[in-house]
Amino acid sequence: VKEHGRNSVRQFIPEMGATAISRMNMEGAMRRGLERGEFALHYQPKIDLLTQRIVGAEALVRWNHPQIGLIHPIEFIPLAEESGLILPLGEWVLTEACRQQVAWLEAGLGALEMSVNVSARQFRQEDLAERVAQVVAATGIAPACLALELTESMVMQDVNSTLLALRTLKQLGLSISLDDFGTGYSSLSYLRRFPIDELKIDKSFINDVHVNEDDAAIAGAIIAMALSLGLRVVAEGVESQAQVDRLLAMGCTQVQGYLFGRPMDAASFVAKFQAGVRV
Ligand code: C2E
Ligand code: CA
Ligand code: CA
Ligand code: CA
């Protein structure tokens, strides 16, 4: 029986496959990485096209693995979400982003709005608002300078609890942004009922907005709807002046994208945008 047990263990391992093993390694490595300070935030500027000035920054997490190097979030956020590590990681991200916003304010970069991505699992935490309030108090960020980015699919999942969660968060004085807008399926009536401040048009509609009339029609409809509901609207993934021209013609005045700045580390961000430098 013993021998059989050993054999079955031996046979079981290859069947688990490399993915299962590397996934266990990765979870442990992420946990240790969080303790050892291997995660970092990069910041991408948000630009107002009318003033040509930076109005905010989006914090985007990176993992600086000692052997592998810089790992992008698409590689580890899904596993972090699945394993629950996203909760301590997300809390670290929020704290670090708020701390940075205050440091930049003190360094003379102006009252930039700091946008922080919130995962589905974080959003479903019962005590999310209390946790955010604690971070706001601990870092001293003005709540008006903090925006939480939620995805459309997250908020549409359970609209009643979403409404409650959003109202509680809004009482703190921060902004709520709907990320990747257009890729989920929002009920427009909820869009009106939810206390939302901003829509971010997904990059997939922006890529060809200057050449594809269908994409331009969708982007144009989102912009018109946002403006008529009194929401801010931001185009993400803007890479060319042709896209800018088309977006401006449709009334969209805020953009993020490689044309104005890639996500960069905090030191590069300060060097580039100190003293409210025009882009
Ligand atoms: P997202 O929130 O939609 O962020 C925008 C992504 O588009 C970023 O990728 C950014 O680097 C990229 N991007 C911005 N402008 C351009 C452009 O002009 N062209 C192109 N090709 N790409 C552009 P990144 O940093 O790799 O992040 C990917 C996703 O990972 C984010 O998508 C977000 O969903 C998630 N993520 C990043 N940081 C965090 C975080 O701290 N917490 C959570 N929960 N998710 C995060
Ligand atoms: Ca985002
Ligand atoms: Ca997005
Ligand atoms: Ca996206």
Side-chain angles (χ1 to χ4, degrees):
V1 173
K2 246 182 179 174
E3 207 170 68
H4 175 81
R6 257 206 317 269
N7 281 342
S8 67
V9 167
R10 225 177 265 143
Q11 282 161 3
F12 181 60
I13 292 171
E15 277 168 18
M16 278 174 71
T19 52
I21 292 167
S22 72
R23 177 213 190 96
M24 278 163 60
N25 286 344
M26 181 144 151
E27 207 180 305
M30 278 183 66
R31 208 174 288 279
R32 285 190 299 277
L34 197 55
E35 286 163 11
R36 294 176 186 168
E38 292 171 9
F39 288 89
L41 294 183
H42 280 191
Y43 300 91
Q44 184 177 39
K46 185 198 283 181
I47 306 297
D48 185 304
L49 292 171
L50 299 181
T51 61
Q52 294 277 299
R53 279 178 188 277
I54 175 175
V55 291
E58 178 175 1
L60 295 156
V61 69
R62 298 322 181 219
W63 181 8
N64 234 317
H65 191 280
Q67 276 90 44
I68 301 169
L70 205 66
I71 309 178
H72 280 254
I74 190 155
E75 309 273 358
F76 61 86
I77 289 284
L79 182 57
E81 177 91 358
E82 221 176 284
S83 64
L85 258 182
I86 194 73
L87 298 180
L89 179 61
E91 192 141 331
W92 177 82
V93 167
L94 179 66
T95 307
E96 178 63 15
C98 291
R99 193 196 60 71
Q100 188 61 259
Q101 195 278 350
V102 172
W104 282 341
L105 182 66
E106 287 167 357
L109 269 76
L112 300 180
E113 180 176 70
M114 181 61 77
S115 296
V116 177
N117 293 287
V118 173
S119 79
R121 192 138 169 182
Q122 276 179 287
F123 185 60
R124 285 195 297 267
Q125 274 181 296
E126 295 251 319
D127 59 348
L128 176 64
E130 288 150 51
R131 287 171 178 275
V132 173
Q134 274 168 17
V135 172
V136 166
T139 58
I141 190 173
C145 290
L146 176 62
L148 299 182
E149 295 196 0
L150 313 169
T151 65
E152 198 184 358
S153 44
M154 269 162 58
V155 300
M156 289 300 156
Q157 230 168 49
D158 176 352
V159 291
N160 287 321
S161 59
T162 291
L163 193 56
L164 195 67
L166 291 181
R167 281 185 182 149
T168 316
L169 284 171
K170 282 297 296 174
Q171 278 168 4
L172 302 177
L174 46 73
S175 294
I176 301 289
S177 175
L178 269 198
D179 202 359
D180 301 346
F181 193 78
T183 59
Y185 28 94
S186 294
S187 156
L188 297 183
S189 63
Y190 283 113
L191 207 53
R192 188 167 51 81
R193 280 178 56 196
F194 288 160
I196 288 162
D197 303 281
E198 179 184 89
L199 298 184
K200 295 185 84 169
I201 310 172
D202 192 69
K203 182 179 183 303
S204 59
F205 302 109
I206 305 302
N207 287 337
D208 295 329
V209 73
H210 54 308
V211 286
N212 181 313
E213 284 315 309
D214 291 342
D215 290 345
I218 292 170
I222 295 173
I223 294 163
M225 180 183 66
L227 296 179
S228 68
L229 289 174
L231 306 177
R232 291 185 274 152
V233 61
V234 180
E236 50 177 30
V238 173
E239 297 180 350
S240 73
Q241 187 58 42
Q243 291 169 315
V244 166
D245 295 342
R246 190 66 197 248
L247 288 164
L248 266 176
M250 297 190 297
C252 177
T253 56
Q254 293 203 350
V255 295
Q256 273 178 249
Y258 291 175
L259 181 64
F260 299 98
R262 288 179 179 248
M264 59 193 101
D265 62 34
S268 310
F269 194 93
V270 170
K272 193 165 174 174
F273 297 110
Q274 212 156 26
V277 171
R278 284 170 187 253
V279 289

